[in-house]
Amino acid sequence: MVSPIDSLEAPGEPPIPTGVPVAQIQGRSPWYLAWLRLRRNKVALVCAAVFVLIVLFCLAAPLWAEHVAHTGPNENHITDTVMIDGQETDVVAPDGTPLGPGLHGKFLLGADQNGRDVMVRLMYGGRTSIYVGLAAALVTTILAVIVALLAGYYRGWIDAVLSRTMDIIWAFPVLLLGIALGTTLSIGGLKAGPIQIAGDSLWIPILIIGLVYVPYVARPIRGEILALREKEFIEAAVAQGKGPLRIMFSELMPNIVSTVVVFFTLNIANNMLLESALSFLGAGVRPPNASWGTMISDGYQVIFTAPHLTVVPGLMIVATVLSLNVFGDGLRDAMDPRAKIRLEH
Amino acid sequence: MKALRKILVIACVIALAALGASACGKKSESGGGSGGGGGGEINVALTSFPDYVDPQLSYTVEGWEVLWNVYTPLLTYKHAKGKDGTQLAPALAENMPDISPDGKTYKLKLRPNMKYSDGTPIKASDFAYAIQRLFKADSGGSVFFDVIVGATDYADGKAQNISGIKTDDNTGDITITLTEPNGTFENVLGLMFAAPVPPSTPLDKDSTNKPPPASGPFMISSVNAPRTLTMERNPNFHTVKDAGASEVPDANVDKIIVNENKNNSAQVTDIEQNKVDFMLDPPVADRLAEVKAKYSDRFRMEDSINTYYFFMNMEKAPFNDIKVRQAVNYAIDPEALNRIFGGRLHPSQQILPPGMPGYQEYKLYPGPDMNKAKQLIAEANPADKDITVWTDDEPDRKRIGEYYHDLLTQLGFNATLKVIAGDVYWTTIGNQSTPDVDTGFADWFQDFPHPDDFFRPLLHGDSILPTNGNNYSRVNIPANNAKQDELLTKLIGDGGVEDQYAALDKAYMEQAVWAPYGNEQFTTFLSERMDFDKSYHHLLFNQDYTSFAIK
Amino acid sequence: MARFVARRLLGMTAVLFAISVIVFLIFNVIPNSDPAARIAGKNADPALIARVNADLGLDKPLPVQYLTMMKQIFTGQLTSYAKDRNVVQQIWEGVPATFSLCIGAAVLWMSLAILFGYLSAVHAGRFADRALTILSLVGISMPVFWLAAMLLYFLSFKVELFPTGSYVPLTESPGDWAYHLILPWFTLAVLFVGIYSRVLRSNMLDAMNEDYVRTARAKGLSERQVRIRHVLRNSMIPVITLFGLDFGMVVGGGAILTETVYNLDGVGLYAGEAIRSLDLPPLMAVVMFGAFFIVFFNTIVDILYAVLDPRIRLGEAAPA
C-alpha cells in the first residue's frame, strides 16, 4: 500500500506547499491522491464522459421509440411503407433489401431485413449489451475475490483445489466453452435445485461470461493476497486474535480494492466483446432481443446490400469498449502509478 | 552475338506463346466419348457435400441431384421438366410393373445383357441385394419398403433374406409381394434407394469412399469426401441403352467435377466470372438481386415441390381452438414472408404445392386481414395466452421466426421465441417430451411426387410418434385418416383419385391445421459457356446433369 | 528439475481429463438432442431408431460411452453423429488452415508489437507514443469478427483488392495461399499488437530505471545499444511467456471467429459447426485438441520460468 510520503515521489504530483508549518500539512488519504492524479488525466476523463453519454443514450431508448420512431424494437414492418421526401418508399423492398439510413424521424438509421427500426434497436440493444457487460463483470469480480481470498489466505489444500479449478476453466478454449454452454443452456434453461433460469433469460449469457473470466481476475488477486499475507500487519491481526473472516474483510480486502476496481472496469470492456462474439455465433443473447452482437450477426447477412446494418452497431461497440479501456487505463495509472497490474486477457 | 541474342529472344517469345495457347485451350472441348454427343469437362459447386455417395443411404437434395444419373433403378422418373417429370417410366425394367388385382403382387422383368460401369453384369438378384442394404445399413429410406412381406423379419435378423422378393437371374424376373396394397410403391421403386447394386458393395456399411459401380449415364470416378468428387461418362451405359432403356438420356459432357464451397457468395462470384459452371444452391439473398439484374440471360427461378408452413399444436391450448388457428391464417402475410426470405417464396396457403398431383388452387383465408384475425381471437378468448414459438437458426428461418413471433405478439399473445440449431431442430420439435412445443417453423420437401408423401407423415393420426414424428401439429382427424388409407390402396392414375386428394387438402385447411405460406423456389445459374436453354430443373431431383452441355 | 517437469505433465493430463468429462456431461445432460433420431432420417419409425441406437452404442451406460469415445479419439476412429465421417481425419484436414492462419498472424503481430512497443518506449510521453497508444487501444477495442466483416466489405467487395476468403492450400499455390490469408492475418494480428506493444512498452520503461541499465550506460555504450541489447532483451522475457499462452489459446479455438467470417476450412470453423449442431463426437475431439494446445503451451511457459528462476521449482511460493 502506498503511504502518503511515497506517493509524493511519484511523477506529476501536486507539490508540498512550502513555508507551511508541518503541523498544518494535512495527510491526504490515498483515495484523494488517486482522484487528484486522475483529474489531471484529461483523456481518461473525456472517455469516462463518453461512456456515460453512451449509457444515457441507450437509457433514452423508450423515449425515442415512443415519440420519434413510433415503434418498438421488435416490431416488424416488412410490407409497410414510409413517406420520405413526399415519396412512398418500401421499408423492405420486394427482393428483401431493407431501407437505408436517412434524415427521417422514423427509421433514422434505416431498417433491417425484418423491417425493424435500426435506431430503436440500437438503443435497446445497447441497454442489453451494457447490462450484460456490467452484470457479468460483477459476477466475475465477486467470484474472483472470493476465490482469491480463500485460496490466498488459507493456502494448503483449499488453495490447491481452487487453483486447479481455475486452471481447468482457464484451459478451456474461452469461445468454445462459451458457445457450448450458451447453446445447450438456451434450449432448456438452467435448473439447479431451487434456481430456475429460462433459456432465453439474459442471466444465461451473464453467468457464462462471468464464469469464463474468473481465472483471469482471480489469479493476479490471489498473487497479491499471497504477498500481503506475509506482511507484519497480518501477523499482528492474527496475534490480536482476529478470526479469518475478520482479517479477510478488514485487513486484506481494503488493500486490494484499488486492483479490483481497475479489473472491474477493464472487465466490463472484455465482457462486452465476448458477449458480442457469442451473440454473433448465435450462442449469446437470444432472438428476437436486440444486442449489438446480434445486430451485427443479422446485418452480416446483407452486408453487401445494406452495410449500415453491420457498421453502426460495431462502431457503438468500439466506442464503448474504447472509452472503458482508456478510462480503465487512466484509473490504473491513478490508483497505483508504479503498479504492475496487468489484466491478463 | 547480337544476332544470337535476337534468335534466343524470338524463340522464347514463341515458346511462351505456345504455352499460353495450350493453357488457354485446356478447358476447351475434347471429342465425344463412347456414345452420346457433346463433350468437355465442367465443374459444379455446392455448399454441402452429399451426405452419402451411396444410392441406398443418400437422403439429401445434394445427394439425389448428384446420384440420380449414376444409379438407375428399375423404374425412373421421366427426365422432363414440370409435371411430366413426375411420371414414371421403365428404366432397368422392361415394362411398368404388372400389378395383381389385389394390389399386393408386383411383377417386373429386368432387361437382359446390361453391365455396370466396371463390367459386372446387372442381375435381378442385385435388386434384392439393394433392398437388403437399406435395412442392414440403417437407411432412412428403409421405411418406404417396410410394406414388403418379410422385410421387418429380415431387418430384425430373424431371416436370411426378404421373403417377399423373389428373383430369377436367368430370366430376369422379379416378383415383389406386399403385406397390403400400396399406391405409392411404384413411386418408391423409382427412387435411388431401390437402384440395384452388385453384391460386392458392403451390405451394412456406407460405401461413400468406394461407391458401387454405376448403371447410369455417369459414374463416380473418384471421391474425396467431403470436399470433392468426380463424375465421368459411364463406358458401359450403352449396354443399358441398347437393352431398350430409352427414358434415361445420355450424358452430354465427359466429366463433371463437384466441389464443396461453404461460401455461397464466393460461388456466385465464381459463376459470374465463369470459373465455375453451375451452383446447386440458390444465390444468397445478399447477391440475388444483383444476379437477377445483371445475369438474366443465364439465371432463372425454378419451381420445386415443397411447402413452408407454421405448425400449430392442436392438442394444447390455445391452438386447440379452431378460431385461433384460423385467426393465424388470416393474419400471416405471405408477401412479407417472401420478402424476408429474399424473394424466393411463391405465396400459397395450401397443403399441397403446385406441381404435386392433386394440387388444385383455392383461397380459404383471403388476407392478410389483421382485423378479422383479431376479431376471431376476441371470439375465442383463449385463457392461456402463453405461446412458445420455435424456429431453427438458419438466417432466413430465424427471420421468419422473428416475424411470426412479432405477429403473435400483435395478436395479443405472450409469445417467447426459441431458436434451435438446424441439425437438431426437427428431432427437438418432433419429440413428445420436449415441453411447450406450441407452434413454429416447418417445411416439407417431397420424397416422391405422390400426395400421400405429404399427407401421411405430416397429417395422419398414426404419425404422432413419441420421437422423430413429422406430424408437428398433432393432427388426428379420424374421417381424414380413413380417407388417406382408402386413397392409398388406389393408384394415382385411377379416375377421381387426384380430385379426392384435392378435396382432402381443402378439408384439412378448413380445420386450419397449419398456417402454410409458400413454396420455396430454387434457381438455375450457369456460366456463360453452358447451354442455358438445354439445361432444365427436375421437380424431384433438381438439376438434371444429363442436360448439362457446353454451347 | 525432472521431478518438476513430471509434476507439471501430470497436472496437464489431469486438467485434460477433467475437461473431457465436463464436455461429455454438458452434452449428455441436455435433452432433445437424440443423435439416433437425427441419423435415422426424417421418416424414421421407432424400430429404425432403436436399431441405430444399438449400432451406435447409445443404449449403454454413460461411463461406458465416455470410455468408448475416448478410446476412439486416441485410435483415430471416432465418427460424428451428423455426417458419419471420421472426426480425427477432419480435424487433421483442418490443421493446415488453422496453423497457417495462427502462425502467420503471430509472426505479424510480434513483429509489429516489438516495433511499436520499442518506439513507444523510446519516445515515451511524446506524440509518437500517444499516437501508437491510441492505435493500440483502438485495436483491442474492436470485435474481431466485426473488423473482419469491415475489411471484407471495404477491401474485397467495394474495391476488389483481396479475395473474399476461402483457404488455398500452400501446396497448391504459395502465391494464392498468402494472398487469401493477408486479410485474415491482419485481422487476427490487430487485437494482439495492441496488447503486446503496451506490455513491452511498460516493461521497457520499468527496465530503463533499473541498475543494470545505469551500469551499461556508465560502461560507455551508446543509448541505442543500451536500449536494444539490454532493455529490449530483458523486457522480452515476460512478452515471450505471454506469447506462449496466447498462441496456445489462438490455436486452441481462439481463431474460430476469424475462420468463420473468412470461410477458412480450419479446426475453428469445424468446431463452430460441431457445437451449433450439438454433435458431440467432433465437439469433444475439437475441445480436447484446443485444450491440449493451451495446456501444453502453459506447461512449456511454466517450465521455462522454472528454468530461469530456480525459486519456482524448489517451492510453490511463486506468484501465479
Side-chain angles (χ1 to χ4, degrees):
Chain A
M1 190 60 206
V2 228
S3 68
I5 307 292
D6 288 349
S7 68
L8 289 178
E9 289 176 1
E13 259 319 298
I16 312 171
T18 50
V20 176
V22 173
Q24 277 188 26
I25 298 179
Q26 282 176 314
R28 293 157 170 165
S29 81
W31 289 101
Y32 184 63
L33 289 167
W35 163 241
L36 286 179
R37 278 194 287 264
L38 184 61
R39 222 173 55 173
R40 298 163 126 250
N41 187 344
K42 299 284 182 269
V43 178
L45 289 179
V46 165
C47 284
V50 166
F51 179 69
V52 169
L53 274 172
I54 294 178
V55 171
L56 287 175
F57 168 75
C58 296
L59 287 176
L63 293 173
W64 181 276
E66 176 135 0
H67 298 293
V68 182
H70 305 292
T71 179
N74 295 336
E75 280 174 41
N76 287 223
H77 299 281
I78 304 174
T79 42
D80 288 359
T81 53
V82 246
M83 293 295 279
I84 299 182
D85 301 329
Q87 277 237 348
E88 235 187 289
T89 334
D90 279 321
V91 173
V92 177
D95 65 10
T97 316
L99 184 63
L103 285 175
H104 24 84
K106 286 184 170 196
F107 300 108
L108 179 72
L109 286 175
D112 70 4
Q113 284 187 284
N114 273 68
R116 296 177 292 209
D117 188 324
V118 174
M119 183 66 166
V120 175
R121 259 176 102 70
L122 192 71
M123 297 165 96
Y124 275 96
R127 282 160 63 131
T128 309
S129 293
I130 297 178
Y131 175 68
V132 170
L134 267 167
L138 270 170
V139 168
T140 305
T141 313
I142 294 176
L143 281 177
V145 166
I146 295 177
V147 166
L149 277 174
L150 289 174
Y153 182 78
Y154 284 112
R155 292 189 297 193
W157 65 270
I158 297 187
D159 181 20
V161 165
L162 286 172
S163 291
R164 287 309 129 241
T165 318
M166 292 295 107
D167 280 346
I168 293 176
I169 301 179
W170 172 297
F172 238 116
V174 166
L175 270 177
L176 295 188
L177 178 61
I179 304 172
L181 286 174
T183 316
T184 54
L185 289 178
S186 71
I187 299 182
L190 181 61
K191 290 186 184 72
I195 311 175
Q196 283 215 11
I197 309 178
D200 60 344
S201 157
L202 280 180
W203 276 97
I204 303 271
I206 290 174
L207 286 174
I208 294 174
I209 298 175
L211 177 70
V212 159
Y213 278 125
V214 169
Y216 297 81
V217 180
R219 272 197 187 192
I221 298 185
R222 168 184 170 275
E224 273 201 41
I225 304 266
L226 281 176
L228 280 172
R229 206 186 175 290
E230 307 304 321
K231 299 232 164 136
E232 294 83 8
F233 68 95
I234 299 291
E235 266 189 56
V238 173
Q240 279 178 355
K242 288 194 186 164
L245 274 172
R246 189 106 186 268
I247 296 185
M248 284 193 240
F249 273 103
S250 58
E251 309 290 340
L252 289 170
M253 280 253 304
N255 286 303
I256 57 170
V257 169
S258 52
T259 317
V260 170
V261 168
V262 173
F263 272 137
F264 177 76
T265 314
L266 296 173
N267 194 226
I268 305 177
N270 277 335
N271 288 345
M272 291 186 68
L273 286 176
L274 182 57
E275 179 271 317
S276 70
L278 288 178
S279 299
F280 179 74
L281 292 171
V285 173
R286 314 302 305 169
N289 294 324
S291 88
W292 287 335
T294 61
M295 289 178 74
I296 298 182
S297 174
D298 289 341
Y300 188 62
Q301 298 305 316
V302 276
I303 186 165
F304 297 139
T305 40
H308 64 287
L309 296 176
T310 315
V311 174
V312 175
L315 284 177
M316 291 303 288
I317 297 181
V318 174
T320 316
V321 171
L322 181 63
S323 59
L324 279 170
N325 271 329
V326 173
F327 178 65
D329 244 23
L331 206 57
R332 176 168 58 201
D333 287 341
M335 293 275 196
D336 214 348
R338 291 172 306 176
K340 286 200 192 334
I341 317 169
R342 220 115 278 162
L343 176 61
E344 288 156 70
H345 42 277
Chain B
M1 271 344 262
K2 259 207 173 148
L4 187 57
R5 256 238 214 120
K6 241 199 197 165
I7 297 173
L8 274 172
V9 168
I10 297 176
C12 286
V13 169
I14 296 177
L16 279 170
L19 255 166
S22 65
C24 285
K26 223 174 41 171
K27 283 208 166 150
S28 65
E29 309 166 34
S30 46
S34 50
E41 186 181 301
I42 62 172
N43 55 20
V44 163
L46 31 73
T47 317
S48 297
F49 199 74
D51 54 346
Y52 299 101
V53 185
D54 183 327
Q56 270 73 51
L57 289 176
S58 182
Y59 205 167
T60 58
V61 165
E62 291 83 6
W64 283 18
E65 183 177 290
V66 167
L67 299 179
W68 185 29
N69 287 304
V70 179
Y71 297 103
T72 311
L74 296 176
L75 308 176
T76 185
Y77 287 92
K78 289 195 177 172
H79 286 243
K81 66 176 169 209
K83 212 144 181 242
D84 290 338
T86 64
Q87 290 177 347
L88 289 160
L92 291 192
E94 280 185 349
N95 290 306
M96 293 297 285
D98 192 7
I99 310 176
S100 63
D102 67 357
K104 293 199 217 174
T105 311
Y106 285 64
K107 280 196 169 60
L108 297 119
K109 191 159 178 328
L110 191 73
R111 296 184 203 270
N113 304 322
M114 296 189 292
K115 290 198 178 44
Y116 291 106
S117 55
D118 65 351
T120 323
I122 305 181
K123 304 201 292 283
S125 53
D126 291 346
F127 169 75
Y129 187 73
I131 308 297
Q132 288 175 330
R133 284 195 79 220
L134 286 178
F135 291 102
K136 285 302 175 190
D138 289 336
S139 165
S142 60
V143 296
F144 297 125
F145 297 89
D146 274 339
V147 69
I148 302 181
V149 168
T152 347
D153 282 342
Y154 175 73
D156 293 337
K158 297 192 191 127
Q160 289 289 57
N161 46 32
I162 305 178
S163 52
I165 307 181
K166 299 238 180 313
T167 63
D168 182 337
D169 283 341
N170 294 321
T171 59
D173 283 326
I174 301 174
T175 311
I176 311 168
T177 323
L178 308 180
T179 55
E180 52 190 14
N182 185 321
T184 65
F185 193 66
E186 267 185 350
N187 290 98
V188 304
L189 279 180
L191 299 178
M192 270 147 352
F193 291 127
V197 289
S200 54
T201 322
L203 179 63
D204 57 358
K205 277 202 256 296
D206 159 35
S207 62
T208 293
N209 292 322
K210 195 170 173 296
S215 48
F218 287 102
M219 67 179 189
I220 310 273
S221 55
S222 74
V223 179
N224 182 8
R227 310 242 180 267
T228 179
L229 64 79
T230 310
M231 302 163 70
E232 289 183 53
R233 260 189 222 270
N234 175 358
N236 285 331
F237 180 61
H238 67 92
T239 62
V240 174
K241 286 294 284 223
D242 292 342
S246 53
E247 288 290 348
V248 188
D250 274 314
N252 282 307
V253 293
D254 295 323
K255 200 174 192 181
I256 304 181
I257 305 179
V258 179
N259 287 316
E260 184 203 55
N261 183 348
K262 295 202 177 92
N263 187 344
N264 182 305
S265 186
Q267 290 180 35
V268 173
T269 313
D270 283 342
I271 302 223
E272 289 177 352
Q273 296 174 352
N274 298 312
K275 294 192 194 143
V276 165
D277 294 301
F278 169 70
M279 58 186 282
L280 186 149
D281 303 278
V284 71
D286 210 10
R287 310 287 303 273
L288 190 57
E290 160 202 338
V291 170
K292 267 194 209 171
K294 289 204 256 176
Y295 300 96
S296 52
D297 59 337
R298 41 194 178 101
F299 172 83
R300 67 175 164 242
M301 305 283 278
E302 308 277 11
D303 286 326
S304 188
I305 297 188
N306 60 72
T307 302
Y308 277 58
Y309 64 99
F310 295 120
F311 68 87
M312 295 179 281
N313 189 342
M314 293 169 60
E315 283 180 354
K316 286 170 36 174
F319 289 112
N320 53 357
D321 186 336
I322 186 178
K323 289 210 161 100
V324 174
R325 300 197 302 269
Q326 287 177 332
V328 173
N329 271 289
Y330 274 112
I332 62 174
D333 183 357
E335 174 54 31
L337 286 156
N338 174 33
R339 287 189 193 182
I340 49 179
F341 201 78
R344 276 192 303 114
L345 269 186
H346 166 259
S348 157
Q349 288 185 273
Q350 302 177 223
I351 311 239
L352 296 176
M356 172 66 87
Y359 171 78
Q360 282 167 16
E361 198 179 338
Y362 61 83
K363 195 120 171 101
L364 272 180
Y365 302 103
D369 191 346
M370 270 306 261
N371 293 326
K372 181 105 177 120
K374 286 190 180 160
Q375 182 197 341
L376 280 168
I377 302 274
E379 285 171 29
N381 199 11
D384 180 6
K385 292 210 163 160
D386 290 330
I387 298 186
T388 308
V389 181
W390 298 74
T391 188
D392 86 28
D393 70 348
E394 278 174 55
D396 37 35
R397 288 141 194 231
K398 192 165 75 106
R399 291 196 291 273
I400 290 178
E402 291 179 306
Y403 165 80
Y404 187 40
H405 172 267
D406 180 49
L407 186 84
L408 290 172
T409 313
Q410 307 261 1
L411 284 176
F413 289 101
N414 180 13
T416 318
L417 183 64
K418 274 198 198 295
V419 178
I420 308 289
D423 277 6
V424 292
Y425 178 65
W426 304 106
T427 50
T428 305
I429 58 172
N431 191 325
Q432 294 267 38
S433 58
T434 311
D436 300 324
V437 181
D438 291 320
T439 182
F441 171 87
D443 66 13
W444 182 257
F445 284 68
Q446 63 164 344
D447 296 307
F448 45 82
H450 190 291
D452 191 75
D453 181 54
F454 266 68
F455 287 119
R456 185 161 303 273
L458 304 173
L459 296 167
H460 196 291
D462 289 350
S463 299
I464 302 180
L465 297 172
T467 63
N468 227 42
N470 288 302
N471 185 346
Y472 308 116
S473 278
R474 319 261 205 259
V475 181
N476 191 1
I477 304 175
N480 294 359
N481 292 344
K483 192 77 182 150
Q484 284 194 36
D485 295 337
E486 178 206 325
L487 288 173
L488 179 62
T489 61
K490 311 210 166 87
L491 295 175
I492 193 78
D494 290 350
V497 170
E498 282 198 36
D499 290 332
Q500 293 187 62
Y501 271 121
L504 194 57
D505 187 334
K506 202 163 179 192
Y508 273 119
M509 280 315 293
E510 276 162 6
Q511 293 296 309
V513 297
W514 285 0
Y517 50 88
N519 320 106
E520 182 182 3
Q521 290 172 307
F522 285 84
T523 61
T524 301
F525 188 28
L526 298 171
S527 67
E528 262 175 356
R529 66 175 181 157
M530 299 290 288
D531 189 338
F532 185 60
D533 297 317
K534 200 168 181 154
S535 170
Y536 79 94
H537 180 99
H538 188 268
L539 278 178
L540 179 55
F541 293 102
N542 297 301
Q543 211 70 16
D544 186 345
Y545 285 12
T546 57
S547 69
F548 281 154
I550 302 182
K551 277 198 277 222
Chain C
M1 189 59 204
R3 269 191 56 186
F4 180 80
V5 173
R7 259 210 315 261
R8 278 282 172 269
L9 286 176
L10 202 63
M12 189 171 128
T13 323
V15 167
L16 286 175
F17 170 70
I19 290 183
S20 68
V21 171
I22 293 176
V23 171
F24 188 77
L25 283 176
I26 291 179
F27 280 88
N28 270 296
V29 164
I30 38 147
N32 310 315
S33 66
D34 187 359
R38 274 161 60 188
I39 295 182
K42 58 179 178 169
N43 265 329
D45 52 14
L48 177 57
I49 298 179
R51 284 202 294 273
V52 174
N53 247 323
D55 282 344
L56 286 178
L58 292 172
D59 45 0
K60 303 221 174 57
L62 281 185
V64 175
Q65 284 187 46
Y66 169 76
L67 286 169
T68 321
M69 185 173 289
M70 287 289 110
K71 193 174 96 169
Q72 282 173 330
I73 289 186
F74 287 110
T75 53
Q77 282 175 357
L78 190 59
T79 46
S80 83
Y81 292 154
K83 292 265 168 69
D84 214 14
R85 295 216 177 92
N86 187 312
V87 168
V88 176
Q89 192 195 351
Q90 292 252 271
I91 295 184
W92 186 241
E93 286 177 12
V95 162
T98 300
F99 274 36
S100 304
L101 173 64
C102 295
I103 297 179
V107 166
L108 187 62
W109 97 53
M110 282 307 269
S111 333
L112 285 178
I114 295 176
L115 181 67
F116 287 2
Y118 178 81
L119 288 175
S120 266
V122 163
H123 301 286
R126 300 207 294 275
F127 175 70
D129 176 27
R130 288 192 195 269
L132 284 172
T133 303
I134 300 212
L135 224 64
S136 309
L137 285 175
V138 171
I140 65 176
S141 303
M142 284 195 274
V144 163
F145 57 94
W146 180 78
L147 174 64
M150 293 293 100
L151 287 174
L152 268 183
Y153 178 71
F154 286 109
L155 295 180
S156 182
F157 180 72
K158 281 240 114 157
V159 177
E160 282 171 42
L161 215 53
F162 292 104
T164 45
S166 303
Y167 176 71
V168 175
L170 179 60
T171 46
E172 205 174 287
S173 158
D176 265 344
W177 170 81
Y179 185 49
H180 280 256
L181 280 173
I182 293 181
L183 283 185
W185 280 337
F186 181 72
T187 309
L188 202 49
V190 161
L191 171 68
F192 291 103
V193 170
I195 300 171
Y196 280 69
S197 63
R198 280 150 50 72
V199 168
L200 185 62
R201 172 188 178 276
S202 57
N203 281 347
M204 281 186 68
L205 285 177
D206 289 337
M208 303 242 233
N209 293 327
E210 297 277 341
D211 293 333
Y212 67 86
V213 171
R214 254 181 275 167
T215 314
R217 282 201 197 108
K219 282 204 303 197
L221 291 173
S222 81
E223 196 57 30
R224 189 113 174 276
Q225 283 173 317
V226 170
R227 278 191 215 134
I228 297 186
R229 247 194 258 168
H230 291 276
V231 176
L232 184 60
R233 269 174 63 178
N234 284 311
S235 309
M236 285 296 292
I237 296 174
V239 172
I240 301 273
T241 53
L242 208 55
F243 174 76
L245 302 175
D246 275 334
F247 188 72
M249 281 209 267
V250 167
V251 173
I256 179 176
L257 288 165
T258 316
E259 286 184 21
T260 305
V261 175
Y262 286 111
N263 258 292
L264 302 170
D265 271 327
V267 180
L269 190 62
Y270 186 55
E273 284 172 5
I275 300 182
R276 285 198 6 252
S277 50
L278 295 180
D279 198 358
L280 181 53
L283 177 61
M284 177 70 89
V286 166
V287 171
M288 298 308 300
F289 173 85
F292 170 76
F293 273 99
I294 293 177
V295 172
F296 176 68
F297 277 95
N298 235 322
T299 312
I300 298 276
V301 164
D302 274 350
I303 294 180
L304 260 168
Y305 252 130
V307 165
L308 296 171
D309 188 349
R311 292 177 299 175
I312 297 175
R313 65 172 164 222
L314 292 176
E316 294 293 335

